[in-house]
Amino acid sequence: MSMIVNRRDLDFLMYEVFDLDRLLATTRYGDYDREVVTAVLDTAQTIAEDKFLPCAAKLDANEPTFDGEQVHIIPEVKEALDAYREAGFFSAPFDEKLGGMQMPFMVSSALGGIFTCANIGIAGYPFLTQANANMLEAYGNEEQKNLYLPPMLEGRWYGTMCLSEPQAGSSLSDIRTKAVEDGEGRYLITGTKMWISGGDQNISENIVHMVLARIPGGPAGVKGLSLFIVPKIRVNTDGSLGENNNIALAGLNHKMGHRGTTNALLNFGENGACHGTLIGEPHKGLSYMFHMMNEARTAVGSGAVMSGLAGYLYSLDYARNRPQGRHPHEKDPESPQVMIIEHADVKRMLMAQKAYVEGGLSLVTYCAGLIDKQAVADDDTDKARLGLLLDILTPIAKSWPSEFCLEANKHAIQILGGYGYTREYPVERFYRDNRLNHIHEGTYAIHGIDLLGRKVRMKGGAALHALEQVIQQTMNEAREVDRLSGYANELGAAFEELKNTAIIVAGTDNINLMLANATAYLDAFGHVVVAWLWLKQGFAANKGLEEDSGEADFYEGKLAACRFFFRYELPSVYTSFALVASLDDTCMTMNSEQFTGQ
Amino acid sequence: MSMIVNRRDLDFLMYEVFDLDRLLATTRYGDYDREVVTAVLDTAQTIAEDKFLPCAAKLDANEPTFDGEQVHIIPEVKEALDAYREAGFFSAPFDEKLGGMQMPFMVSSALGGIFTCANIGIAGYPFLTQANANMLEAYGNEEQKNLYLPPMLEGRWYGTMCLSEPQAGSSLSDIRTKAVEDGEGRYLITGTKMWISGGDQNISENIVHMVLARIPGGPAGVKGLSLFIVPKIRVNTDGSLGENNNIALAGLNHKMGHRGTTNALLNFGENGACHGTLIGEPHKGLSYMFHMMNEARTAVGSGAVMSGLAGYLYSLDYARNRPQGRHPHEKDPESPQVMIIEHADVKRMLMAQKAYVEGGLSLVTYCAGLIDKQAVADDDTDKARLGLLLDILTPIAKSWPSEFCLEANKHAIQILGGYGYTREYPVERFYRDNRLNHIHEGTYAIHGIDLLGRKVRMKGGAALHALEQVIQQTMNEAREVDRLSGYANELGAAFEELKNTAIIVAGTDNINLMLANATAYLDAFGHVVVAWLWLKQGFAANKGLEEDSGEADFYEGKLAACRFFFRYELPSVYTSFALVASLDDTCMTMNSEQFTGQ
């Protein structure tokens, strides 16, 4: 069993649940069929297992260092990224006309997941580069694209995103970095950026920063932010590298996990002119950034799933091979010990991991499929509908795996017991890595506010309605299947509560109170969405069983996980929805002194 | 504000909630009054703040090392323990006749908590020494006590507990370490012990191991385990140190957290005779060990609370002083930023931390008070009743804080955002430290099985009945208070479900199925217990308010946390009890292959 991917599950999701075949039949993805997809994923798995996985623990224990002059990273990282680059994977999701592989996003997302599961610290670099290039492709002008896209798609230059500053993390309206036109169409960038993943390194030939900054005289707040390309080394008009662009590394952050990707504090233009070029129009920087953020956020969710998956596969393997203890009914101390997978609570923890991890994987795979469907849709109404689904599911895809796949990692440690708590085993590392995901790309609370304050109400509830339609379709199908019809009804009831709660909350005109319990709403909404996706998986598994494929274990396992989710997980949403609907103000009205009495 | 203790809260719990005054009025604790208790805790706080707290981060970053010959620990650890020893605290809970301070356990537990909160890595050494001495005092013979107790109570020799072996962690019946009588009343010990906290170090003059081992010819399983004193350095009959006793340190474990306390793999008698002396009778070792385990388990819970408290106090202070963002109703981006404590979701995370941490603290303080009441009870019936309460509450006191104070630490990281995820701030360390507590002193699952399979049923339900009585008393009092009567009714309803669930589960004769969802029962049972303790705190706070003490913020904060627990937390128990009562077998019937299909 591979420790970084269950290929059978990937195939199940892509072909049996989310109908990748239909996408492969379109002109856009004409170069791909099942065989090609399999070959691509085989290559990815081989590189991930040979180059990414073996150095994951070493990279965690030997994080990048900065000697005041230069960043040092263990050499295995560059070797791994060289192999990744040589396979052409930097360009996987990009159009052929740009030199890309034009891979369905569902496949490139699976591919990225395999590398992330193997070594999240290394996988961060290509992920950020692709996100950067993606934004440039959408909003850059021809000159910018010609100059920057090819080396990024070839994996010679890496990309970053520079939003946060020491005083402005979640509060982007307080960004202070300045960009002043120099009279020659260039901008001089000055300011400090914080938490920049991949912000400096010694691997790529150049680093292309996407920087949010203010052009003086613009509006206050987020409406005055513009977006700039700011390379570490200046780029001549022929694409060759020029002078150093005066971006100083002020220091690396030392994180609990995610230690493999450098995370930097950068000073722009502190010791000389730092040149940037404006992307698109002035003051529209945040909207451009948000274009990329939907994908970046789903990718954060995918990262959380992959840390969860790594722990699930490892702890499953351990539980299958570690003898310890006996069943409660066995009173003979001289009877042989059983493998710990025989213990009910170990099974429960494995089942919870399966339900969270494979549920989360289905969520991010579905979102990736929506992006593909948008790319091939020729009907504007349908395109808009797919966009609405993405809008409402993005906060879920980012947040739900962050919370529940972290919980999965907690279970993985528990299954290994004392061993799991040591650094000799990888599961504690996955747990440390995963804790980041509540924080970056919008904190957990911000996604709750986004969901309850904006997404469920946007366009007269159109996004919520679009979601209801697809859920309804799954319920209708599942009602025809004996072993699933009860779950279909339970899902319908939970979705009604989800809607009613949104309506009740919208009824107050105190916006602070309306959003006071938005996080509880986000959690419960996520559970309803994942219950739906488990029902969808259950339906596909039942179909697979009926077709008598000889894979009864796989399909029965899926149906059991579906049952687990409906019995052990979904019922909790009623408590949460009731709390949110009660507009409870216990926390909101607490004053600072009351917490400790001083 | 101190970062390691809220003294006002300690006083509230000891005097206003749990009636320490009544204990102090007994002959046994005649040397103590409020003034003395305050002075003792002042001294503890000063030493903890001056010696334990400042090196906590350094110790975490520079864990003990073993060069093959010797263990190296940063010198600040010995300095801190010297100060602790000089204050006489090693002997705090022991009787005067043994040279102890004869402190009420409620006070010595608070004292231990202060040190644990400041530096859990150092606090482990005296805690283990006290636990060891406590067992020796209970079951050792006079010669053993005379030889070993004085140096341990003086803090010159430290103690450990040696139960686990590489192949036998939770499954103590599979322990293999042997003890063979040598014809002179001594035993020769051979075997390997694993996960031994404080198993070796370079601080104390000697180390006294309490070792579970088998005398050949005894019964199989746990009924054949005997308990031995096995010193690192042999002890002559006059108490002076003799030869090395051939206990070899085979290696130190490298943990995710709890890095300050050495954790060892020890080989006994590998390179020469290793002498041990039998404690009590042969084959009764486990029952002696269990005597200590109730206290050790409550202490694990207390450790979890203290890691939680450290994160709560730190993140509260941070939230009060970090400006970021604006209220949802504030649309002007040029308005000043607010302190993040103003944000509803930050308040929610602080409130959850308060509810978990102060709820957990009330739980372990209550349990400590039960031990004191036992010590002064002159009525056997009452003593037995107090013992039953301890029996049924021990799995809760161990497990509930492990789960929910870890959740509190998760919130503390979140409040600090990206900063909280870095090792420059202490909250990620508390989170790493706390993750251990589900595992040691009986795993989470084992306590669920202990609770549902044994404790709720023991002596015809006598322990559950004793708990019901004390809860009933609180409900009766609270029903007389307008703002609490609703919660009293909610608590009553939840307790009914708790009982009904136990009855339903007891109705099956399939013991494996009966215990399949014991963990969910443990969680929900814990929530009911903590809801009761919050009601108790609410009642005391209401009384404080009525007496117009000028501390309205403190008392209103307590009442708000009580309300939070009843509105945000307690309702979840119905879902859990319903699941347990349904005797769901989804996890139990899953077979190994179904998890992945291979």
Side-chain angles (χ1 to χ4, degrees):
Chain A
M1 192 174 74
S2 167
M3 285 293 121
I4 58 171
V5 64
N6 180 352
R7 291 288 294 277
R8 182 64 191 93
D9 190 37
L10 268 190
D11 285 348
F12 173 71
L13 289 175
M14 292 192 300
Y15 300 113
E16 297 172 66
V17 184
F18 298 126
D19 206 8
L20 178 60
D21 286 324
R22 184 184 288 189
L23 279 169
L24 298 183
T26 62
T27 317
R28 178 172 172 76
Y29 301 121
D31 284 351
Y32 290 86
D33 57 21
R34 284 198 186 202
E35 211 174 321
V36 176
V37 169
T38 299
V40 165
L41 294 179
D42 283 350
T43 304
Q45 185 175 342
T46 302
I47 296 174
E49 287 177 343
D50 291 354
K51 300 286 183 182
F52 280 61
L53 187 61
C55 64
K58 181 178 174 186
L59 181 57
D60 177 68
N62 298 277
E63 64 187 343
T65 54
F66 176 49
D67 61 12
E69 299 267 315
Q70 218 191 327
V71 173
H72 301 275
I73 301 177
I74 61 166
E76 289 89 339
V77 175
K78 185 167 166 34
E79 287 166 27
L81 286 165
D82 282 346
Y84 182 95
R85 180 171 52 74
E86 281 159 22
F89 289 150
F90 273 92
S91 76
F94 292 92
D95 282 7
E96 272 175 26
K97 65 173 192 262
L98 300 168
M101 295 172 84
Q102 201 161 312
M103 201 180 281
F105 197 65
M106 208 194 281
V107 180
S108 77
S109 170
L111 183 152
I114 290 171
F115 288 104
T116 304
C117 191
N119 192 326
I120 202 165
I122 305 184
Y125 297 105
F127 158 65
L128 288 158
T129 303
Q130 287 171 350
N132 182 307
N134 183 0
M135 188 158 50
L136 185 62
E137 199 247 313
Y139 299 106
N141 59 35
E142 286 310 305
E143 192 190 335
Q144 290 166 333
K145 290 194 218 181
N146 289 337
L147 219 49
Y148 290 97
L149 278 182
M152 283 205 278
L153 266 58
E154 288 160 21
R156 295 187 291 109
W157 299 0
Y158 291 178
T160 82
M161 294 184 266
C162 300
L163 287 75
S164 297
E165 299 179 2
Q167 83 295 347
S170 296
S171 177
L172 294 175
S173 68
D174 295 291
I175 281 176
R176 292 183 199 146
T177 295
K178 266 197 312 192
V180 178
E181 227 261 58
D182 70 349
E184 299 176 41
R186 286 182 313 212
Y187 285 80
L188 297 172
I189 311 290
T190 49
T192 299
K193 290 291 181 180
M194 181 83 172
W195 309 120
I196 311 308
S197 290
D200 207 350
Q201 30 81 5
N202 60 353
I203 302 166
S204 65
E205 298 167 18
N206 199 2
I207 303 176
V208 181
H209 301 287
M210 285 283 178
V211 178
L212 275 185
R214 277 182 200 289
I215 299 171
V222 293
K223 291 177 183 163
L225 296 174
S226 304
L227 187 62
F228 299 87
I229 307 177
V230 189
K232 178 182 177 182
I233 301 167
R234 290 180 195 158
V235 180
N236 300 320
T237 47
D238 65 354
S240 63
L241 296 180
E243 306 271 291
N244 188 301
N245 198 23
N246 295 304
I247 302 170
L249 175 60
L252 294 176
N253 294 305
H254 303 101
K255 293 181 171 182
M256 173 167 68
H258 263 266
R259 294 192 186 185
T261 315
T262 57
N263 188 269
L265 180 70
L266 296 177
N267 289 328
F268 290 79
E270 195 186 30
N271 300 309
C274 174
H275 295 164
T277 66
L278 179 69
I279 293 192
E281 294 173 39
H283 315 318
K284 295 214 167 158
L286 196 67
S287 65
Y288 303 154
M289 199 56 102
F290 269 112
H291 165 86
M292 186 193 60
M293 272 208 240
N294 270 358
E295 285 174 40
R297 285 172 168 175
T298 303
V300 167
S302 172
V305 169
M306 289 303 146
S307 288
L309 179 64
Y312 171 52
L313 294 174
Y314 195 93
S315 64
L316 175 61
D317 187 63
Y318 185 88
R320 283 171 169 168
N321 294 294
R322 164 81 174 171
Q324 179 105 183
R326 292 156 190 86
H327 288 295
H329 71 264
E330 179 59 75
K331 301 298 179 202
D332 176 6
E334 299 196 79
S335 63
Q337 299 201 60
V338 299
M339 295 302 164
I340 62 170
I341 198 170
E342 295 299 316
H343 298 307
D345 199 65
V346 172
K347 285 193 190 182
R348 179 191 63 85
M349 291 189 285
L350 289 169
M351 184 62 114
Q353 288 184 75
K354 181 179 172 74
Y356 297 151
V357 168
E358 294 181 3
L361 186 58
S362 70
L363 174 59
V364 297
T365 306
Y366 179 75
C367 289
L370 290 175
I371 293 170
D372 289 325
K373 286 184 186 168
Q374 272 191 313
V376 300
D378 37 27
D379 168 348
D380 280 350
T381 317
D382 200 39
K383 214 167 203 152
R385 185 186 66 84
L386 295 162
L388 286 169
L389 282 171
L390 268 175
D391 280 337
I392 200 162
L393 287 175
T394 294
I396 309 298
K398 194 277 177 181
S399 303
W400 193 90
S402 304
E403 176 70 10
F404 293 97
C405 294
L406 177 68
E407 189 71 11
N409 286 135
K410 199 174 83 183
H411 291 322
I413 292 176
Q414 193 69 17
I415 288 173
L416 271 74
Y419 295 100
Y421 190 66
T422 67
R423 277 130 56 209
E424 277 76 19
Y425 290 78
V427 288
E428 62 88 30
R429 169 162 50 86
F430 306 141
Y431 183 62
R432 285 187 286 107
D433 286 343
N434 220 345
R435 181 60 190 86
L436 176 62
N437 292 310
H438 290 70
I439 299 170
H440 63 167
E441 294 297 339
T443 65
Y444 209 78
I446 284 174
H447 287 286
I449 291 171
D450 180 44
L451 180 68
L452 185 58
R454 212 164 70 84
K455 296 294 176 61
V456 297
R457 312 200 297 169
M458 68 189 288
K459 299 178 184 165
L464 191 58
H465 184 64
L467 180 62
E468 184 170 17
Q469 281 184 318
V470 291
I471 289 182
Q472 195 67 56
Q473 192 185 335
T474 305
M475 291 196 297
N476 291 343
E477 289 172 350
R479 282 204 180 95
E480 304 298 313
V481 179
D482 280 351
R483 52 196 295 194
L484 298 176
S485 62
Y487 303 146
N489 294 332
E490 286 168 31
L491 178 61
F495 198 83
E496 281 304 305
E497 281 305 297
L498 178 157
K499 280 196 303 179
N500 291 340
T501 303
I503 291 166
I504 289 169
V505 169
T508 173
D509 47 16
N510 178 344
I511 187 169
N512 299 342
L513 181 60
M514 175 193 293
L515 299 176
N517 295 300
T519 302
Y521 191 72
L522 177 70
D523 278 337
F525 196 113
H527 255 47
V528 173
V529 168
V530 175
W532 157 55
L533 292 168
W534 267 116
L535 188 60
K536 226 171 146 62
Q537 291 192 64
F539 184 78
N542 186 69
K543 203 167 154 207
L545 263 186
E546 283 177 349
E547 288 168 7
D548 191 23
S549 68
E551 293 186 292
D553 277 338
F554 178 80
Y555 291 124
E556 286 293 355
K558 283 286 179 187
L559 283 158
C562 172
R563 177 172 141 182
F564 175 86
F565 205 87
F566 277 88
R567 296 206 177 168
Y568 284 70
E569 294 291 331
L570 186 64
S572 71
V573 303
Y574 293 100
T575 313
S576 302
F577 286 138
L579 173 71
V580 178
S582 75
L583 292 167
D584 193 290
D585 66 355
T586 304
C587 302
M588 198 179 117
T589 55
M590 189 82 173
N591 75 42
S592 173
E593 290 70 29
Q594 288 171 346
F595 283 103
T596 48
Q598 53 191 294
Chain B
M1 193 174 75
S2 167
M3 284 295 120
I4 58 172
V5 63
N6 180 354
R7 291 288 295 277
R8 182 66 193 91
D9 190 37
L10 268 191
D11 285 348
F12 172 72
L13 289 175
M14 293 193 299
Y15 300 113
E16 297 171 66
V17 183
F18 297 127
D19 205 8
L20 178 61
D21 285 323
R22 186 185 285 189
L23 280 169
L24 299 184
T26 61
T27 317
R28 178 174 170 76
Y29 301 121
D31 284 351
Y32 290 86
D33 57 19
R34 285 199 186 200
E35 211 172 322
V36 175
V37 169
T38 300
V40 166
L41 295 179
D42 283 350
T43 304
Q45 185 175 340
T46 302
I47 296 173
E49 287 177 344
D50 290 353
K51 300 285 184 181
F52 281 60
L53 187 60
C55 65
K58 183 178 173 186
L59 182 57
D60 176 69
N62 298 276
E63 64 186 344
T65 54
F66 176 48
D67 62 11
E69 298 268 314
Q70 217 191 327
V71 173
H72 300 276
I73 302 177
I74 61 167
E76 289 89 339
V77 174
K78 185 166 165 38
E79 287 166 29
L81 286 165
D82 282 346
Y84 181 97
R85 180 172 51 72
E86 282 159 22
F89 290 150
F90 272 91
S91 76
F94 292 92
D95 283 6
E96 272 174 26
K97 64 173 192 259
L98 300 167
M101 295 172 83
Q102 200 159 312
M103 202 180 281
F105 197 66
M106 208 193 281
V107 180
S108 77
S109 168
L111 184 152
I114 290 172
F115 288 103
T116 305
C117 192
N119 192 325
I120 203 165
I122 304 184
Y125 297 106
F127 158 65
L128 288 159
T129 302
Q130 288 171 351
N132 182 307
N134 183 2
M135 189 159 48
L136 185 61
E137 201 247 312
Y139 300 105
N141 60 33
E142 285 310 304
E143 192 190 334
Q144 290 166 332
K145 289 194 217 181
N146 290 336
L147 219 49
Y148 290 97
L149 277 183
M152 283 206 276
L153 267 58
E154 287 161 22
R156 294 187 292 110
W157 299 0
Y158 292 178
T160 82
M161 294 184 265
C162 300
L163 287 75
S164 297
E165 299 178 2
Q167 84 294 347
S170 295
S171 177
L172 294 175
S173 68
D174 295 291
I175 282 177
R176 292 182 199 148
T177 295
K178 266 198 309 191
V180 178
E181 227 260 54
D182 69 351
E184 301 177 38
R186 285 181 313 210
Y187 286 81
L188 297 173
I189 312 290
T190 48
T192 298
K193 291 291 180 179
M194 180 86 171
W195 308 120
I196 310 308
S197 290
D200 206 349
Q201 30 83 5
N202 59 352
I203 303 167
S204 65
E205 297 166 19
N206 199 1
I207 303 176
V208 182
H209 302 287
M210 285 283 177
V211 178
L212 276 185
R214 278 183 198 288
I215 299 172
V222 293
K223 290 175 185 163
L225 295 175
S226 305
L227 187 62
F228 299 87
I229 308 177
V230 188
K232 177 181 177 180
I233 302 168
R234 290 181 195 157
V235 180
N236 300 318
T237 48
D238 65 353
S240 62
L241 296 180
E243 305 270 290
N244 188 302
N245 198 23
N246 295 305
I247 302 169
L249 176 60
L252 295 176
N253 294 305
H254 302 102
K255 294 182 170 183
M256 171 167 68
H258 264 265
R259 295 193 186 183
T261 316
T262 56
N263 189 269
L265 180 70
L266 297 177
N267 288 328
F268 290 78
E270 194 186 32
N271 301 310
C274 174
H275 295 165
T277 66
L278 178 69
I279 293 192
E281 295 173 39
H283 315 319
K284 296 214 168 158
L286 196 67
S287 66
Y288 303 153
M289 199 54 106
F290 269 113
H291 165 89
M292 189 193 59
M293 272 208 239
N294 270 358
E295 285 174 38
R297 286 172 167 174
T298 303
V300 168
S302 173
V305 169
M306 289 304 145
S307 289
L309 179 64
Y312 171 51
L313 294 174
Y314 195 93
S315 64
L316 175 61
D317 187 62
Y318 184 89
R320 283 171 170 169
N321 294 294
R322 164 80 174 173
Q324 180 105 182
R326 292 158 191 85
H327 288 296
H329 72 264
E330 178 59 74
K331 300 299 177 201
D332 176 5
E334 299 198 79
S335 63
Q337 298 200 60
V338 299
M339 294 302 162
I340 62 170
I341 198 171
E342 296 298 315
H343 298 309
D345 200 64
V346 172
K347 284 192 190 184
R348 179 190 65 83
M349 291 189 285
L350 289 169
M351 184 62 113
Q353 287 184 76
K354 180 180 172 74
Y356 297 151
V357 169
E358 295 182 3
L361 185 59
S362 71
L363 173 60
V364 296
T365 305
Y366 178 75
C367 288
L370 290 175
I371 292 170
D372 289 325
K373 285 184 187 167
Q374 273 192 313
V376 300
D378 37 27
D379 168 350
D380 280 351
T381 318
D382 200 39
K383 215 165 203 155
R385 185 186 65 84
L386 294 162
L388 287 169
L389 282 171
L390 269 175
D391 281 337
I392 200 162
L393 287 176
T394 293
I396 309 298
K398 195 278 178 181
S399 303
W400 192 89
S402 304
E403 175 72 8
F404 292 97
C405 294
L406 177 68
E407 188 71 11
N409 286 135
K410 198 174 84 181
H411 290 323
I413 292 175
Q414 192 69 16
I415 288 172
L416 271 74
Y419 294 100
Y421 191 66
T422 67
R423 277 130 57 209
E424 277 76 18
Y425 290 79
V427 288
E428 62 87 30
R429 168 161 50 86
F430 305 141
Y431 183 64
R432 285 188 285 107
D433 287 342
N434 220 346
R435 181 61 189 85
L436 175 62
N437 292 310
H438 289 70
I439 299 169
H440 63 167
E441 296 295 341
T443 65
Y444 209 78
I446 283 175
H447 287 285
I449 291 170
D450 180 43
L451 180 69
L452 184 58
R454 212 165 67 87
K455 298 293 176 65
V456 298
R457 313 199 299 168
M458 66 190 286
K459 299 177 185 167
L464 191 58
H465 183 64
L467 181 62
E468 183 169 20
Q469 281 183 316
V470 292
I471 289 182
Q472 195 67 55
Q473 192 185 335
T474 306
M475 290 196 297
N476 291 343
E477 289 172 350
R479 282 204 178 96
E480 303 297 314
V481 178
D482 280 352
R483 52 196 293 193
L484 298 176
S485 61
Y487 304 145
N489 294 333
E490 285 167 31
L491 178 60
F495 198 83
E496 281 305 305
E497 280 306 296
L498 177 157
K499 279 196 302 179
N500 291 340
T501 303
I503 292 167
I504 290 168
V505 169
T508 173
D509 47 14
N510 177 344
I511 187 168
N512 298 343
L513 181 60
M514 176 194 292
L515 299 175
N517 294 300
T519 301
Y521 190 73
L522 177 70
D523 277 338
F525 195 112
H527 254 47
V528 173
V529 168
V530 176
W532 157 55
L533 292 169
W534 267 115
L535 188 60
K536 227 171 146 62
Q537 290 193 63
F539 183 77
N542 186 67
K543 203 167 154 209
L545 263 186
E546 282 177 348
E547 287 169 5
D548 191 21
S549 68
E551 293 185 292
D553 276 339
F554 178 79
Y555 291 124
E556 287 292 356
K558 282 288 179 185
L559 284 158
C562 172
R563 177 172 141 181
F564 175 86
F565 204 87
F566 277 87
R567 295 203 177 169
Y568 285 70
E569 295 291 330
L570 187 63
S572 71
V573 303
Y574 292 100
T575 314
S576 302
F577 286 138
L579 172 70
V580 178
S582 75
L583 292 167
D584 194 289
D585 67 355
T586 305
C587 301
M588 199 179 115
T589 54
M590 188 83 173
N591 75 41
S592 175
E593 291 70 29
Q594 288 171 344
F595 283 103
T596 48
Q598 52 192 294

